Amino acid sequence: MIKEIAKPLIPAVKWLSVAAATAAVVVSIQVSADDQDQNGLKVSQYNAIPEKAALLTPSKPWSPASGFADLIESVNPAVVHVSTSGFVQQRSRARSRQGEQFDFNDPRDFFRRFFEGNPYPNERFDQDQPEEPNENDGERETRPLGIGSGFIISQDGYVVTNHHVIDRADEIVVTLPNGEEYDAEIKGSDPKTDLALLKLANANDLPYVPWGDDKSSRVGDWVLAIGNPFGLGGSASTGIISALGRDIRSGPYDDFIQVDAAINRGNSGGPLFNMNGEVIGINSMIYSPSGGSVGIGFAIPASLAQGVVSQLRDSGEVQRSWIGVEIGEITEDLAKAFERENQEGALVSLVRKDSPAQRAGLEQGDIILSFNGKKISEVRNLPKEVAQSQVGKTYPLEVWRNGKLKKLKIKTEAFPSDDELAGTPKKQEKVTPSSDEQMGAELTPLNDELRAQYRLPAEAKGVLVLSVERNGLAAKNGIRRGVVIEKFHGIDVRKPSDVSAALKEAKSSKLPFVPMLIRSSRGVTFIAFKYK
């Protein structure tokens, strides 16, 4: 059945039109390949596959006058079509006709993965969490889940694609441009970067493409994207690099290459080439209010993807370093509150118990300025540097604490599981609310019941805001019901009287702002509290 996924193109295109009219955007994130030595090869026909395995690169340097035909012919044989199918629960008509829901006021809903999922427009298959069957559901059956793109990185049939393309798939078929089909197994997958590595069964002597150096790329450089949009088969589009190092807040490792080449549904997993025929990125997502390409596409840089793919190939999983902190950005007001002359660094809002950070002596309110000698100019630099560091190795840290520069050493550990991060809930405690007239808020200590009610983690500690006065000091600083005050002007807050004491201390200082550490169901962060 899976081999017929790409045939019914008309229903798939019709489904896309419906989705585009009711939803926002499509997204995807991609990966690259494995380093190889180059030895140029010229392929004479667009869909030709060499008789013997070869590293595919153009036979002569590209120039604008020569167009893109030679370049496309050279690399296209290694770009593949990925089809997936899986067991799904056939749902009742009332439940299966629901469409995707989007919040058009939330700009994040304009970023969507864009692999061609759900070729059946009247059925909805949830790709995030499978539902448990109930008495109203029908029997389980195998259905196509979607189609995407990928590319071959070795002669023995390793293929890179996206995690979301193969997620929950029970069967995967990879089709080469010449029509040859291979069953594929998942060698490894990494949801955090949305990368996956496949191995084609009984494959040998296949053409493959090399990695390129995205670090040497510049804004304005020409790029080539090849993929499988709408299941139409190998399609090429060209454009330029619009921006480098783009952070769209889709995850902790955002460092996208932004391009204006046309990218659409089904392109997930497809490579982004430079003019030397090298993979410098993996076409990742698009920004589009309509659901189609508007010339704003994103690709994961090869420099980030190579490490992930290498680990998936060696062990089937990705092991990342961890130091055990939650961090936030430094606003202009927070910089004043922490007596900083600029907004560089990562502000530590939480140090986890028994973590490398705690053992290294890191504290809440520290500003990490460098890790392993590399400058942390903005908050997103730290997660990437830590994740790419070696597990179990000791690295130097530079932090800003109490107006002075401090040097520390920290030994990284492997990233813990979700269960380990969750911790053990504390015992139930009785609490008594009280009103703080100076703050203009009703405050109460925390207990397990309140943590559960406000969706706070077991580790949350401090004073919970039950209500705020409309024109009170708390409301003017953006503090709302459900917020937990954990630290205020350097004072650990555990009861409402601690807030009053900290506010009194703040009013005696000469700073325009003082730092306040607050927590909500969304996480923990510092704000610059204005007390006048």
Side-chain angles (χ1 to χ4, degrees), residues 58 62 68-76 224 273-277:
W62 178 85
F68 298 92
D70 288 343
L71 175 61
I72 293 171
E73 287 180 354
S74 297
V75 297
N76 186 68
L224 166 69
F273 293 101
N274 61 18
M275 294 300 101
N276 295 321

Side-chain angles (χ1 to χ4, degrees), residues 150-199:
F151 53 97
I152 305 171
I153 64 171
S154 68
Q155 64 179 19
D156 55 346
Y158 279 95
V159 172
V160 174
T161 188
N162 286 136
H163 164 78
H164 75 263
V165 171
I166 52 82
D167 188 27
R168 297 178 61 201
D170 295 294
E171 297 179 17
I172 304 171
V173 168
V174 170
T175 306
L176 274 58
N178 67 346
E180 292 184 12
E181 293 182 345
Y182 291 86
D183 292 329
E185 65 173 346
I186 301 172
K187 183 67 175 178
S189 187
D190 180 40
K192 291 189 186 320
T193 55
D194 195 25
L195 304 178
L197 184 65
L198 307 179
K199 178 64 173 68

Side-chain angles (χ1 to χ4, degrees), residues 90-109:
Q90 186 176 1
R91 309 178 186 188
S92 64
R93 180 177 298 271
R95 296 174 61 217
S96 65
R97 303 286 179 178
Q98 301 174 12
E100 294 284 355
Q101 299 298 314
F102 297 90
D103 181 0
F104 287 93
N105 294 317
D106 187 345
R108 291 174 297 180
D109 274 339

Side-chain angles (χ1 to χ4, degrees), residues 201-238:
N202 303 316
N204 54 70
D205 294 336
L206 296 182
Y208 56 98
V209 286
W211 288 106
D213 180 16
D214 62 273
K215 297 293 185 182
S216 63
S217 299
R218 300 184 300 166
V219 173
D221 283 351
W222 281 99
V223 288
L224 166 69
I226 302 181
N228 182 38
F230 309 131
L232 295 172
S235 296
S237 60
T238 61

